[in-house]
Amino acid sequence: MSAEGLERQTRSYLSNEVPQIQQHGGNFEIRDVDEEAGTATVAIGGVCPGCGIAPMTMKAIERRLPESVEGLEDVEVVRSGGPRAAVMPSKTDEMDEMDEYDDYSPPF
C-alpha cells in the first residue's frame, strides 16, 4: 500500500474510532508514514489540559492502530509541540512510565 493509502486509513481510524480526541478539544496529525517499513508517527495535542488518560490513550492507539490498518506494523504516538501543543500536567509524564497502564483498554 502507498504512503498516501496508509495515511488515509490511519486518519480514518483516528477520526472514526477515537473521536474522543477531537470531541474533547484535542487534535491529531499524522507526522510521518513509511510504507516500506509499515510505520507511522502520530502526534496528539490541542487543548488537553488535565487529561489524565492521555498516556493510556496514546499507548492504546499504538497497540490498536496496527491491528486495524493493513500494512501498518508499528505506530509511535507523540505529543504535539509548538502552538498546537497539549498542556498536560507533569503527572502524565510519570504515568507514561507506569506499568499499570500498559493494559489500559479505552472504549474505542
Side-chain angles (χ1 to χ4, degrees):
M1 177 177 299
S2 70
E4 294 82 20
L6 282 176
E7 182 174 343
R8 186 174 51 254
Q9 286 190 33
T10 298
R11 186 174 312 286
S12 177
Y13 175 85
L14 292 169
S15 293
N16 296 320
E17 302 299 323
V18 196
Q20 302 89 327
I21 292 172
Q22 293 172 316
Q23 289 171 349
H24 296 160
N27 60 56
F28 65 85
E29 89 180 88
I30 299 162
R31 292 229 175 122
D32 183 57
V33 174
D34 182 338
E35 76 272 19
E36 287 184 30
T39 62
T41 301
V42 176
I44 64 170
V47 290
C48 300
C51 182
I53 65 164
M56 292 79 72
T57 300
M58 292 166 73
K59 287 179 183 182
I61 291 170
E62 288 175 345
R63 280 195 318 268
R64 293 184 183 177
L65 195 51
E67 296 171 356
S68 302
V69 175
E70 186 177 334
L72 197 56
E73 300 297 324
D74 188 48
V75 174
E76 178 184 19
V77 180
V78 297
R79 293 183 185 143
S80 291
R84 297 175 62 153
V87 180
M88 295 184 212
S90 60
K91 198 71 165 163
T92 59
D93 291 333
E94 294 173 27
M95 294 170 74
D96 279 338
E97 304 302 321
M98 295 175 70
D99 293 335
E100 291 87 348
Y101 298 109
D102 284 342
D103 296 326
Y104 172 70
S105 184
F108 61 82

